[in-house]
Amino acid sequence: MEVGLTLGLENREGSMKLSTKDCGCYVEDISIKLDGGASWLYQGVVDAFEEQIGSAVESTIAKKLKEGIVKLDSFLQALPKEIPVDDIASLNVTFVNDPLLSNSSIGFDINGLFTRANATTLPKYYQNLKRPVSCTDPSKMLGISLDEAVLDSASALYFNAEFMQWIVDKVPDQSLLNTAGWRFIVPQLYKKYPNDDMNMNISLSTPPVIKISPNNVDAIVYADLIIDVLESQEVIPVACISLVIHASGSVKIAGNNLAGSVKLNDFTMSLKWSKIGNLRMFLIQPVIWTLIETVFLPYVNVHLGKGFPLPIIHGFTVQNAEIICSYSKITVCSNVAYEDPQNLNQLSFHSYRNTVML
């Protein structure tokens, strides 16, 4: 028996449309043998209708194949175009462009940019990638290329949502949040506000700039740090310091999530304004370094350590993943396995701006 099946797969308004172009089944030969009792009597009847039985097999197999394609198309049409991330962000998971076919794989471009949750319209970001995913191990079953645009969209969205602002009122060395701890660093601060508690108001002035390069992910953060004095239940801003923080990051796989962490490379600082006179920045720099290392980076790493979902159909798990950083993209090459084969009929989809190559 020979079975031939030709399918069409195209992008229709952000969803994949699967259709049957041609489907056929040809039974070259069929042999039916009966055993038992009066089998000799019925064997002649079977032999006489052998051609009709073969024809029935052909039509039934072709019919079942077409029905299966219709079910698979319904699954593709039911894939969500937007996936909630948290109360702030959602992901645009519409398909971009038609699939990219090769002799041994099929690839999809997925928009996947971060958007505001519950947005009435989704921003369009149609870029003709058409770049194959490159894995060092060709035996890997799945390749996912995450474009730098994903990180840029997340950075801009959370910045515009005013999520990148923190008031620091607790630190490992709590003496840093009292003017007495600053009496030798900024004497005029202690003189004007003796033994008053303080807090640090940190806010990013622009979205973080993220650059992906071979074997590394770098970030530049521009922030303003306002020193507040708490006096008689009044918050008094006394000085503002501009920071330019240079950090490097590493990425890893945590379950089905792409997670990571950052570490401080260096930072520069300058006085933006002051109500307590000029500040000696070289004396303040060790204090700011301590605040970044003990407060800012641990907070950021807690969130980065959770990561975000890779575009894996629910019910499958990533195995033996390899991460490759190149210019402007992160590539994850992995095998996949079933979590629970009994629940493969309950599949959902999670995706980001990427090229997915199966």
Side-chain angles (χ1 to χ4, degrees):
M1 180 175 66
E2 294 181 0
V3 177
L5 180 63
T6 303
L7 302 177
L9 185 62
E10 60 181 340
N11 181 7
R12 289 191 182 178
E13 298 182 351
S15 297
M16 281 294 147
K17 176 64 179 177
L18 183 67
S19 59
T20 303
K21 299 292 186 181
D22 188 23
C23 180
C25 177
Y26 171 66
V27 175
E28 181 178 352
D29 182 62
I30 185 170
S31 176
I32 302 174
K33 299 298 181 183
L34 301 180
D35 294 319
S39 59
W40 61 271
L41 177 63
Y42 297 106
Q43 186 67 57
V45 177
V46 170
D47 292 341
F49 289 94
E50 183 177 293
E51 183 175 344
Q52 290 87 337
I53 294 174
S55 177
V57 170
E58 291 175 345
S59 61
T60 300
I61 289 178
K63 178 182 177 182
K64 290 297 182 180
L65 283 173
K66 292 177 181 178
E67 291 175 353
I69 298 304
V70 170
K71 291 180 180 179
L72 183 55
D73 177 61
S74 297
F75 169 74
L76 292 175
Q77 296 297 313
L79 295 178
K81 294 186 177 182
E82 182 181 19
I83 296 177
V85 177
D86 51 32
D87 294 337
I88 297 175
S90 294
L91 295 170
N92 181 345
V93 292
T94 55
F95 288 97
V96 181
N97 303 316
D98 289 332
L100 181 64
L101 304 176
S102 71
N103 291 334
S104 60
S105 65
I106 180 170
F108 302 93
D109 284 350
I110 301 172
N111 184 297
L113 297 184
F114 282 69
T115 63
R116 286 300 296 262
N118 302 317
T120 55
T121 59
L122 296 177
K124 294 183 178 181
Y125 189 86
Y126 293 106
Q127 179 182 349
N128 187 15
L129 291 178
K130 293 299 182 183
R131 295 180 298 181
V133 177
S134 298
C135 293
T136 56
D137 184 354
S139 67
K140 295 295 185 182
M141 301 166 62
L142 174 69
I144 303 170
S145 178
L146 179 70
D147 195 88
E148 202 172 76
V150 177
L151 306 182
D152 290 340
S153 69
S155 174
L157 186 142
Y158 284 103
F159 173 81
N160 293 330
E162 300 182 351
F163 186 76
M164 297 181 178
Q165 300 178 358
W166 305 273
I167 294 179
V168 180
D169 55 8
K170 294 185 183 298
V171 295
D173 184 0
Q174 198 65 21
S175 65
L176 294 176
L177 294 182
N178 188 282
T179 57
W182 292 66
R183 63 185 181 274
F184 299 117
I185 302 172
V186 187
Q188 62 271 35
L189 173 63
Y190 178 70
K191 183 178 180 179
K192 190 172 183 179
Y193 304 101
N195 294 311
D196 282 335
D197 289 331
M198 306 162 54
N199 62 37
M200 303 291 175
N201 190 337
I202 304 175
S203 60
L204 272 60
S205 52
T206 64
V209 179
I210 302 171
K211 293 297 180 183
I212 304 173
S213 58
N215 303 316
N216 203 23
V217 180
D218 295 315
I220 302 177
V221 178
Y222 299 89
D224 288 336
L225 186 151
I226 298 177
I227 301 174
D228 294 328
V229 173
L230 310 178
E231 186 180 48
S232 301
Q233 298 182 345
E234 183 182 0
V235 179
I236 305 172
V238 296
C240 179
I241 299 173
S242 294
L243 302 172
V244 180
I245 302 171
H246 296 264
S248 60
S250 60
V251 290
K252 63 180 181 179
I253 298 297
N256 276 358
N257 288 7
L258 183 67
S261 62
V262 295
K263 64 179 182 178
L264 178 63
N265 290 339
D266 195 8
F267 74 95
T268 59
M269 50 190 292
S270 60
L271 184 62
K272 193 170 185 178
W273 55 261
S274 173
K275 297 179 180 178
I276 52 175
N278 192 32
L279 305 182
R280 297 181 179 180
M281 304 305 291
F282 70 93
L283 294 177
I284 298 177
Q285 187 170 13
V287 178
I288 303 303
W289 184 286
T290 300
L291 289 174
I292 294 174
E293 286 279 18
T294 61
V295 178
F296 179 72
L297 288 184
Y299 176 84
V300 171
N301 283 330
V302 166
H303 289 275
L304 293 179
K306 298 176 183 177
F308 55 84
L310 290 168
I312 302 294
I313 295 176
H314 183 68
F316 295 81
T317 57
V318 173
Q319 288 189 340
N320 303 319
E322 173 191 15
I323 299 176
I324 304 170
C325 291
S326 57
Y327 290 107
S328 77
K329 69 177 182 179
I330 298 173
T331 301
V332 178
C333 300
S334 172
N335 294 323
V336 293
Y338 302 136
E339 282 184 349
D340 185 357
Q342 302 301 319
N343 293 326
L344 291 180
N345 59 330
Q346 300 175 352
L347 301 179
S348 60
F349 197 68
H350 304 278
S351 293
Y352 288 79
R353 168 69 179 177
N354 49 55
T355 301
V356 181
M357 188 71 74
L358 300 173

